[in-house]
Amino acid sequence: MERQRLDKWLWHARVVRARTQAASLVEAGRVRVNGLRQTSPGHPLRIADVLTIRLDRGIRILRITGFAERRGGPTVARALYDDLSNASGEAAGE
């Protein structure tokens, strides 16, 4: 699998609880892919794309490292991305 829909990936990676929530998040303009705001839930993602996601509890920055055929448990979901949110916070604090 070389590409995956943005809403589907957000759901598989357990960023949101339901795929409809993922679509709403994207349509509201709260997700950027490589710095560009996306409003289409069907936007294709590729490995190494960087997502900036504005959630109610803060901002997450995730680099895509993989795709899944179906939604798995938290361990499987965590293998789909590198979380850059903490890395950028640590660099700013130095």
Side-chain angles (χ1 to χ4, degrees):
M1 190 182 298
E2 293 180 22
R3 296 180 184 198
Q4 190 167 50
R5 289 176 55 105
L6 177 55
D7 61 340
K8 197 171 185 178
W9 188 89
L10 290 169
W11 181 56
H12 287 180
R14 294 185 167 265
V15 174
V16 294
R17 292 184 184 199
R19 191 164 168 191
T20 54
Q21 286 178 315
S24 296
L25 191 70
V26 175
E27 289 169 349
R30 298 176 73 179
V31 178
R32 292 179 184 262
V33 178
N34 299 323
L36 301 173
R37 180 174 284 139
Q38 296 300 320
T39 56
S40 172
H43 179 79
L45 296 177
R46 292 180 225 163
I47 301 291
D49 281 348
V50 175
L51 304 182
T52 305
I53 308 159
R54 188 168 41 104
L55 301 166
D56 292 336
R57 61 188 179 274
I59 296 175
R60 294 188 72 189
I61 303 169
L62 308 175
R63 179 184 300 123
I64 297 173
T65 59
F67 300 121
E69 289 288 329
R70 61 188 190 125
R71 191 172 197 229
T75 305
V76 173
R78 182 61 185 92
L80 301 179
Y81 60 87
D82 289 330
D83 192 340
L84 306 178
S85 305
N86 293 335
S88 63
E90 292 171 0
E94 292 180 349

